[in-house]
Every structure is written in structure tokens, then in C-alpha cells.
Amino acid sequence: MKKFNASKGDSSRKYDKNKRSSDNKSRTSRNKPQQPEKNEVPEKREYKGRGKNERPVYGSVEEKDQKKKPFRKPYSPIKRGSKAGKEKSENQPEYNLKAIQKTLPREEAEIRLNKFIANAGICSRREADSLIEKGEIAVNGKLVTELGYKVLRKDKVTYKGKSIRPEKPVYLLLNKPKDFITTTDDPLERKTVMHLVEGACEERLFPVGRLDRNTTGLLFFTNDGELSAKLTHPAYEIKKIYQVTLDKPISKNDVDAIRDGITLEDGLAEVDDLQVLSLDKTILGLEIHSGKNRIVRRIFAHFGYEVTALDRVAFAGLSKKDIPRGKYRFLNEKEVINLKYLNKGKNKKRQK
């Protein structure tokens, strides 16, 4: 047995003391946050979507190839079989809406000059106001510089000496797939719904309302500003039907609570109808008229459910029947007339 030397001390204990001090230093170094180097570039972060609690999720930005061309994948309309057995694209229909125009009130026959110019495909309404202020627009041979000036459809409006007329109306229905954002222009050159209807017609189109990037289903396009305003205004209470898929079965108490209406951070969320469609109680049918942002996902997130799939199957009385995913079709004249008269009595509520 080794004897303890008081003068020299215990070498084994001395070693253990040194080891403990080194372990403490390493432990403190691990706990201490690492400082970035002076030349280190901070990591870029971007919006990645929303989590189960509907809160924003951010992540690192993936470096993109600058030489990579923007997405320009051609999409086509629904093709119909011809007599020869070959497929042909659906032709853009001509709408005879004179009967509707005659029934409109007299004040609706007059439209603002900037809207007249925008409907002719010259520019946007805001840009049209600039053209009017600069004195570049003439009505019936007289220059007009007054903003808010109203014209009749029969008036002769000229720009740079050339007569302009509003574009013919276009009404189009798209069955939107995933991974397309609802916007007319994206500076990040991501896939937009405009790529899906590219080449459908010569007239300018814009989507009415919006669907989230991961939401599929019906999306309506038109160049009819009046109809677009009607379909998006909350006073008209336009019906929308969704098929909702949840991450877990929904309870009967939650179904009853959603039907009764719930209060979210931006106010009351009313549901017109809610039905369970699957035996495992994860697939639901939801009818709603609210147009609030991400309202369907937020309703179920309020009760702790995650919406794993969301598909809009009906919009303003229109269905996606016979429209494959990623395809579109033009509305027929009867469907357009129905939209024009849809919830006509709600106009009184809007005026109040």
C-alpha cells in the first residue's frame, strides 16, 4: 500500500484537481453562446408557412441559382373530343349580356373614367388617374383632367389620338393545384396561378379572392371589376364549400361548437354548415361565407386540429365538376347571368 507523503502531497489528488478544473472550463465553454466570427455572414431567414398553432414559421433561405429561368410551364384548358377523334381546346365564348345591361339602374350605366381605361387593358386604375391628370385622355373630343369623371359606355374615349374600348368580358374557372400562390405578379418568381391560365385569352385576367399556397380547388378569374367586387364584398355573403382533412378525428363537442360560431382574434367566425364525411371523422364538409384570411385553418387550429388538406369544391354556386386539377374552363352565358343576379337582395344591405 502506497504511503502518503505530506511534503509532496498526493499526486493522484493533484491530478484529479487539475482534471476537475479543466472539466469546469469545458463545461462553461459549452454553456457560453458562441460568438460569430467577424467575417461570418449572418444566416438569412425567410417565411416558410404556419405551424399547427397557425403561428408563422421561419427557416434558412436556400441559395437560388441566379441563372435559373423563372417558371414558365405551359398549362392548357380542358380539351374536348372532336368529330375526327382528335382533341381540341375549348374556345373562348362570346357573352350576350345586353338583356342584363338594360335592367341595370341608370347610375350603374355610368362608370368612372379610370375604370373605363383599365377595362380597356391600357393600364391599372391608379396609372389611369395619372394619365387623366396629365391631360392625355379625351372624352368626346375634349381633354379631361378631373379625377372621378364619369363616362357612358357609348362615349368616345381616346388615348394618344386612338379610340379605346373596354375589353370584352371574360369569366374563367380554374381547379387550382398545390404549390401555386394567388397573385398576379411575384417578385421572387415563384409559381403563381397566372401561369395556369397563361394564354387562355388576350384580355387581362385577375383572380377573384385568393387561395393559400397549399389549398386546392376552385378559383374564379375575370376582368369584370363590378362582378369581382360583388363576389368579394362581405355584404353579399357568397357561399364557399370546402372539403377539410384533419390530422386527427374531430369530437362531437367541437363540431357543435364550430356550428354555433366561435370568436377568433379578429372577431366572430360564423359557419353555415359542418358535416362529418368519413367514418374516422377526419374528413369534413364545411360551408362558409366569410372571406377572412385563412379562416378555415384558423377555425380548426382554435380547437387544436391541424388541417392537412383543404380543397374548395364550390364557389358562388359553381362546382369543379369535370375540371381536372390544374385545368380551367370558361363559364357559359347562363352561369354568368346567375352570378350577376346572385344574392341581388343583398345589395340593399350593402348600401346601408
Side-chain angles (χ1 to χ4, degrees), residues 246 248-252 254-255 258 274 276 281 284 300 305:
L246 303 178
K248 57 185 177 182
I250 190 170
S251 67
K252 186 180 184 304
D254 290 341
V255 171
I258 293 174
L274 177 64
V276 179
K281 300 181 180 180
L284 315 172
F300 290 99
Y305 300 95

Side-chain angles (χ1 to χ4, degrees), residues 92 120-121 167-168 170 197 199-205 223 330:
Q92 181 180 348
E167 297 176 325
K168 62 180 181 180
V170 181
V197 297
C201 58
E202 296 180 356
E203 292 76 17
R204 290 187 312 121
L205 286 176
N223 58 353
F330 293 99

Side-chain angles (χ1 to χ4, degrees), residues 176-224:
K176 175 189 172 297
K178 274 187 176 183
D179 297 326
F180 286 82
I181 60 175
T182 307
T183 182
T184 55
D185 183 41
D186 182 54
L188 301 179
E189 297 183 346
R190 293 172 294 181
K191 295 184 294 185
T192 73
V193 293
M194 302 310 297
H195 292 105
L196 300 171
V197 297
E198 189 175 13
C201 58
E202 296 180 356
E203 292 76 17
R204 290 187 312 121
L205 286 176
F206 53 86
V208 177
R210 61 190 304 115
L211 291 177
D212 296 336
R213 183 173 184 169
N214 291 325
T215 301
T216 60
L218 283 183
L219 188 61
F220 182 61
F221 290 78
T222 186
N223 58 353
D224 187 338

Side-chain angles (χ1 to χ4, degrees), residues 11 16 42 47 49-50 67 80-81 142 148 154 156-157 162 170 172 188 205 212 214 255 264:
S11 60
D16 292 341
Y47 178 71
R50 292 180 182 264
K67 296 182 181 180
R80 310 293 185 187
K142 296 182 179 180
K154 64 181 181 180
K156 183 179 180 180
V157 181
K162 295 183 179 180
V170 181
L172 183 146
L188 301 179
L205 286 176
D212 296 336
N214 291 325
V255 171
L264 301 177

Side-chain angles (χ1 to χ4, degrees), residues 18 156 221 229 231 272 285 333:
N18 294 335
K156 183 179 180 180
F221 290 78
L231 295 178
D272 300 315
E333 188 170 307

Side-chain angles (χ1 to χ4, degrees), residues 82-346:
S82 62
K83 294 181 180 180
K86 297 181 179 179
E87 291 184 332
K88 63 178 182 179
S89 297
E90 179 180 331
N91 294 326
Q92 181 180 348
E94 295 285 345
Y95 301 106
N96 182 13
L97 304 178
K98 292 182 179 179
I100 297 179
Q101 297 294 341
K102 291 179 181 179
T103 62
L104 291 176
R106 183 175 181 181
E107 59 269 15
E108 290 189 19
E110 294 182 344
I111 61 174
R112 292 170 66 96
L113 180 56
N114 62 349
K115 180 180 178 181
F116 186 98
I117 299 169
N119 289 347
I122 303 299
C123 57
S124 67
R125 292 194 191 186
R126 184 175 297 179
E127 293 169 335
D129 285 334
S130 299
L131 296 179
I132 295 171
E133 289 179 321
K134 293 177 182 177
E136 298 184 22
I137 304 297
V139 179
N140 298 328
K142 296 182 179 180
L143 291 178
V144 176
T145 58
E146 175 189 349
L147 296 180
Y149 188 86
K150 292 185 177 181
V151 297
L152 299 173
R153 295 185 181 275
K154 64 181 181 180
D155 289 336
K156 183 179 180 180
V157 181
T158 56
Y159 170 58
K160 293 184 177 180
K162 295 183 179 180
S163 179
I164 59 175
R165 299 298 304 169
E167 297 176 325
K168 62 180 181 180
V170 181
Y171 309 94
L172 183 146
L173 202 59
L174 167 73
N175 188 352
K176 175 189 172 297
K178 274 187 176 183
D179 297 326
F180 286 82
I181 60 175
T182 307
T183 182
T184 55
D185 183 41
D186 182 54
L188 301 179
E189 297 183 346
R190 293 172 294 181
K191 295 184 294 185
T192 73
V193 293
M194 302 310 297
H195 292 105
L196 300 171
V197 297
E198 189 175 13
C201 58
E202 296 180 356
E203 292 76 17
R204 290 187 312 121
L205 286 176
F206 53 86
V208 177
R210 61 190 304 115
L211 291 177
D212 296 336
R213 183 173 184 169
N214 291 325
T215 301
T216 60
L218 283 183
L219 188 61
F220 182 61
F221 290 78
T222 186
N223 58 353
D224 187 338
E226 293 179 4
L227 181 59
S228 175
K230 174 181 177 179
L231 295 178
T232 54
H233 198 282
Y236 286 99
E237 298 182 355
I238 301 301
K239 302 288 185 181
K240 284 137 328 207
I241 300 177
Y242 293 87
Q243 180 173 299
V244 186
T245 304
L246 303 178
D247 61 336
K248 57 185 177 182
I250 190 170
S251 67
K252 186 180 184 304
N253 291 337
D254 290 341
V255 171
D256 294 337
I258 293 174
R259 285 174 179 167
D260 293 338
I262 61 172
T263 302
L264 301 177
E265 62 272 11
D266 54 352
L268 181 65
E270 294 180 312
V271 171
D272 300 315
D273 194 14
L274 177 64
Q275 298 294 332
V276 179
L277 304 180
S278 63
L279 294 176
D280 62 357
K281 300 181 180 180
T282 60
I283 302 178
L284 315 172
L286 177 73
E287 182 179 331
I288 196 169
H289 62 265
S290 174
K292 294 180 180 179
N293 186 35
R294 299 179 64 87
I295 183 64
V296 176
R297 296 182 186 273
R298 289 192 292 122
I299 286 175
F300 290 99
H302 181 79
F303 292 92
Y305 300 95
E306 179 187 5
V307 176
T308 58
L310 185 60
D311 186 48
R312 186 155 73 182
V313 298
F315 173 76
L318 302 169
S319 73
K320 63 174 187 175
K321 182 181 179 181
D322 299 329
I323 309 179
R325 192 83 75 206
K327 301 289 185 178
Y328 62 81
R329 72 170 178 85
F330 293 99
L331 268 61
N332 57 46
E333 188 170 307
K334 183 179 179 180
E335 290 173 321
V336 174
I337 294 175
N338 289 339
L339 287 179
K340 292 281 188 178
Y341 283 100
L342 189 65
N343 293 350
K344 188 177 179 181
K346 300 292 183 180

